[in-house]
């Protein structure tokens, strides 16, 4: 490796260490950024953090001298494009690579000077400080995310600045006690720490909510590789803010409000790992119950696993083709980011976890109801269902998911009847009915109908009928799920014969 490249890399890694040491929340957010963004954001954070440490931590030192020297060294590093201070060197690299303007740096350093000079802020000073200490941080990050796209930068300037401001104001509320007791500082204009009351708190909260609302509008307009990390930071700070809102003013002046590391991890899991976690939840109970002696599902694995494998091959090919045809796509917000043949790894897992669990339902019901009580209803049900599915296909003959789904469903029913006649129809019908309960929950999550801002799977409206059932599920998915279950049950029974 070239020595200069090694030096640059080492300096950037120093900033990453600083970030991870000082802020778990920002570290989690940055970890979700695309690599082309994350290294630059680490460098920004390292620089901003060290400047903040000068004014807040070294109370027994000559902080004005230290800050003046830090400013001088900053501008010298930018001018000469090199510094033996790794934090300054990595910062100047980002400044030059991403076109971060001198005006943003000046505003930030001016706000650090204000921290040394002021203990209370009037409205003008407060706005000036917020812009310099937080608004420009959002704008620096935006410069990185836009990668030279000036039109995008101008379009997102206000949301980026407002989001940074919202984060900072939440910090002010959270740290109100330590700022006053350790530094004698109150940032909010017109607020008396000793007499901090509900009306003052509500006024501050309204201001923060306005910033959050404007900032949130810009997140989905960011480049895809930046969206998840920024959104995670937004969710974290918004949850912290909601917690603060529920507390009386006295609690804020008596203790520092925080989100535990465990809760931060849960926030991460609910975002980037949601589809993966859903797969784990789908299979966890059936897998653990597989060893239950009465059902003895584990003894059927010899037939189950080949069935799942063959079914997975068929449905994955279908999935790959339809993904390439843009019939549906997957929301990167909820994915860990690894793909194969264009499908996220979570989607691959889906075709193993869901069949395993569905056949488990089938086997469990066979144990609980050995009499096959739905057998008399099964034949008329499916003979009635086939024309209904054909009708759906005809209605949606110009909708590729609708007619392909209908065609394959009818073909699967007829194949099952050819292989087994009516022998397993009653058992399958009962499993089908029961499986629609977890299906509604899982597909409701995937389609964005249950507790999600956005769907995990996004359907092309030109490819479906757009008739939605419970929790925003396309009606075609009910037929798709039936086909998946029937194929696995048919293969499962065939391998047992």
């Amino acid at each position: 490796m070239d020595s200069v490249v090694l030096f640059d890399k080492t300096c950037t890694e120093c900033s990453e260490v600083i970030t991870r040491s000082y802020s778990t929340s920002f570290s989690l957010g940055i970890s979700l950024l695309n690599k082309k963004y994350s290294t630059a954001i680490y460098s920004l954070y390292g620089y901003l953090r060290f400047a903040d440490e000068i004014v807040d931590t070294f109370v027994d030192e000559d902080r004005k001298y230290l800050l003046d020297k830090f400013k001088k060294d900053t501008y010298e590093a930018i001018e000469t494009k090199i510094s033996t201070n790794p934090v300054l060197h990595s910062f100047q690299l980002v400044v030059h690579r991403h076109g971060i303007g001198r005006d943003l740096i000046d505003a930030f350093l001016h706000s650090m000077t204000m921290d040394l000079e002021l203990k209370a802020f009037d409205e003008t000073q407060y706005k000036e400080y917020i812009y310099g200490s937080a608004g420009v941080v959002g704008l620096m990050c935006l410069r990185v995310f836009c990668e030279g796209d000036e039109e995008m930068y101008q379009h997102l300037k206000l949301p980026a600045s407002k989001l940074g401001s919202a984060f900072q104001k939440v910090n002010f509320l959270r740290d109100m006690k330590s700022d006053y007791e350790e530094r004698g500082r109150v940032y909010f204009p017109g607020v008396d720490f000793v007499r901090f009351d509900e009306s003052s708190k509500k006024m501050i909260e309204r201001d923060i909510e306005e910033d959050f609302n404007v900032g949130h509008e810009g997140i989905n307009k960011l480049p895809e590789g930046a969206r998840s990390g920024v959104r995670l930071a937004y969710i974290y700070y918004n949850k912290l803010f909601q917690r603060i809102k529920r507390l009386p003013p006295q609690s804020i002046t008596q203790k520092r409000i925080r989100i535990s590391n465990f809760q931060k991890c849960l926030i991460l899991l609910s975002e980037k790992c949601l589809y993966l976690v859903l797969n784990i939840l789908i299979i966890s109970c059936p897998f653990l119950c597989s060893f239950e002696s009465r059902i003895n599902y584990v003894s059927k694995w010899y037939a189950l696993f080949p069935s799942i494998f063959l079914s997975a091959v068929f449905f994955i090919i279908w999935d790959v083709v339809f993904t390439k045809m843009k019939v549906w796509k997957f929301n990167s917000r909820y994915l860990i980011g690894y793909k194969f043949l264009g499908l996220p790894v979570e989607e691959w897992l889906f075709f193993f976890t869901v069949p395993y669990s569905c056949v488990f339902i089938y086997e469990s019901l066979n144990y609980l109801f050995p009499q096959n009580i739905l057998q008399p209803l099964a034949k008329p049900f499916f003979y009635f269902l086939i024309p209904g599915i054909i009708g759906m296909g005809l209605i949606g003959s110009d909708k590729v998911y609708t007619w392909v789904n209908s065609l394959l469903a009818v073909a699967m029913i007829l194949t099952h009847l050819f292989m087994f006649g009516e022998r397993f129809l009653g058992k399958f019908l009962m499993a089908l009915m029961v499986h629609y309960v977890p299906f509604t929950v899982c597909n409701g999550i995937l389609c964005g109908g249950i507790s999600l801002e956005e769907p995990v799977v996004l359907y092309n409206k030109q490819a479906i009928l757009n008739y939605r059932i419970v929790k925003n599920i396309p009606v075609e998915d009910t037929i798709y799920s039936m086909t998946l279950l029937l194929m696995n049950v048919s293969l499962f029974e065939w391998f047992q014969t």
Side-chain angles (χ1 to χ4, degrees), residues 24-178:
T24 54
S25 54
F26 272 103
S27 295
L28 284 174
I30 295 173
S31 69
L32 297 188
L33 296 174
N34 187 289
K35 185 71 174 176
K36 65 181 178 179
Y37 302 133
S38 62
T39 52
I41 302 302
Y42 280 130
S43 295
L44 289 179
Y45 184 90
Y47 173 79
L48 301 170
R49 168 53 63 183
F50 269 26
D52 196 55
E53 288 302 302
I54 290 173
V55 298
D56 281 349
T57 300
F58 304 127
V59 293
D60 296 327
E61 306 295 333
D62 186 345
R63 290 178 293 169
K64 184 179 184 307
Y65 165 77
L66 291 175
L67 184 60
D68 287 343
K69 186 175 187 304
F70 189 77
K71 289 180 184 178
K72 178 177 177 294
D73 292 345
T74 294
Y75 293 129
E76 183 178 309
I78 294 170
E79 181 70 26
T80 61
K81 298 184 180 181
I82 191 169
S83 175
T84 54
N85 179 327
V87 171
L88 293 180
H89 184 73
S90 63
F91 177 67
Q92 69 82 20
L93 288 174
V94 175
V95 168
H96 289 294
R97 285 173 184 167
H98 297 280
I100 294 175
R102 174 73 178 255
D103 59 320
L104 300 182
I105 301 168
D106 289 346
F108 170 73
L109 291 173
H110 176 63
S111 70
M112 296 298 99
T113 302
M114 293 176 75
D115 260 336
L116 293 180
E117 297 174 349
L118 298 174
K119 299 298 183 183
F121 294 72
D122 61 28
E123 190 67 33
T124 301
Q125 291 167 333
Y126 174 69
K127 289 180 179 178
E128 187 179 352
Y129 181 84
I130 287 291
Y131 174 74
S133 66
V136 300
V137 176
L139 296 177
M140 288 180 184
C141 293
L142 184 62
R143 277 293 182 197
V144 173
F145 299 148
C146 289
E147 299 181 277
D149 187 334
E150 188 63 27
E151 184 179 350
M152 181 189 293
Y153 178 79
Q154 293 299 328
H155 182 62
L156 295 178
K157 271 181 71 174
L158 181 61
S161 180
K162 289 292 186 181
L163 193 61
S165 298
F167 292 172
Q168 182 72 301
K169 291 170 185 177
V170 172
N171 284 338
F172 288 167
L173 269 180
R174 179 195 64 187
D175 298 332
M176 200 169 180
K177 179 179 184 291
S178 60

Side-chain angles (χ1 to χ4, degrees), residues 448-484:
I450 299 179
S451 302
L452 294 182
E453 284 186 1
E454 304 169 4
V456 178
V457 182
L458 300 101
Y459 290 86
N460 181 346
K461 292 183 178 180
Q462 303 302 315
I464 62 175
L465 289 174
N466 281 311
Y467 295 136
R468 304 276 179 158
I469 59 172
V470 182
K471 297 302 180 184
N472 208 36
I473 301 169
V475 66
E476 290 90 344
D477 276 5
T478 61
I479 306 302
Y480 180 96
S481 187
M482 182 200 72
T483 306
L484 178 64

Side-chain angles (χ1 to χ4, degrees), residues 1 19-20 53-54 98 102 122 142 186 197 220 229 266 274 280 283 291 298 310 336 342 387 411 450 452 468 480 495:
M1 182 182 290
T19 307
R20 295 187 185 281
E53 288 302 302
I54 290 173
H98 297 280
R102 174 73 178 255
D122 61 28
L142 184 62
V186 177
D197 57 16
N220 285 336
L266 288 181
L274 185 137
I280 294 171
I283 200 172
F291 305 93
V298 66
L310 291 176
I336 59 176
I450 299 179
L452 294 182
R468 304 276 179 158
Y480 180 96
F495 277 114

Side-chain angles (χ1 to χ4, degrees), residues 427-445:
K427 295 179 179 180
F428 173 75
L429 178 58
M430 181 175 288
L432 179 68
M433 293 168 60
V434 172
H435 112 286
Y436 276 129
V437 176
F439 161 85
T440 301
V441 175
C442 295
N443 250 43
I445 293 171

